[in-house]
Amino acid sequence: MSIKDSSSTRQVGDLFSHGRLTAIPRKAARREQLLNHLAQTLFERDRVYTEHEVNEALRTVHEDCSALRRYLVVAGLLVRPKDGSSYSRANWLSVNSLLGQEC
């Protein structure tokens, strides 16, 4: 793990208290770190989730699961068909992850 990786992990960890997200970050860069972390830790690749399953997974960290779900979809970290019938983790993560700077 590089120093930058360690720093990113610590920054995401600072958003949590007792395993719960204290607030959804307003700053885009900080929110992107959080969303990458949530996508990697809560959702398996190559698995299809119902909206209920996505909500339940997100509720384990924060009450506002609909906001987190919407942010994940807009960021392209969760994908869904137009009818919204299912969700799956994208096969890629943010540019930071592609550069080897996973959160």
Side-chain angles (χ1 to χ4, degrees):
M1 178 182 289
S2 72
I3 293 170
K4 184 144 181 120
D5 290 343
S6 178
S7 174
S8 294
T9 301
R10 187 182 71 249
Q11 288 178 357
V12 170
D14 291 347
L15 298 171
F16 290 84
S17 176
H18 304 290
R20 300 280 296 167
L21 180 62
T22 57
I24 299 171
R26 291 181 187 206
K27 291 186 177 183
R30 189 109 157 123
R31 189 170 51 240
E32 181 183 352
Q33 290 176 334
L34 169 68
L35 296 174
N36 276 303
H37 172 75
L38 295 177
Q40 291 176 38
T41 58
L42 297 178
F43 303 102
E44 299 173 27
R45 288 186 182 201
D46 302 320
R47 177 167 173 218
V48 176
Y49 295 87
T50 65
E51 184 172 322
H52 178 75
E53 290 172 319
V54 171
N55 290 344
E56 288 302 309
L58 294 171
R59 277 192 194 107
T60 65
V61 295
H62 197 270
E63 327 57 68
D64 195 352
C65 61
S66 59
L68 289 173
R69 185 183 69 241
R70 184 171 43 256
Y71 283 132
L72 286 163
V73 169
V74 169
L77 298 170
L78 283 184
V79 293
R80 66 178 177 198
K82 287 184 181 190
D83 67 3
S85 61
S86 62
Y87 294 80
S88 60
R89 186 171 139 186
N91 289 328
W92 62 277
L93 294 175
S94 77
V95 172
N96 287 338
S97 293
L98 292 173
L99 296 174
Q101 301 169 359
E102 292 184 305
C103 302

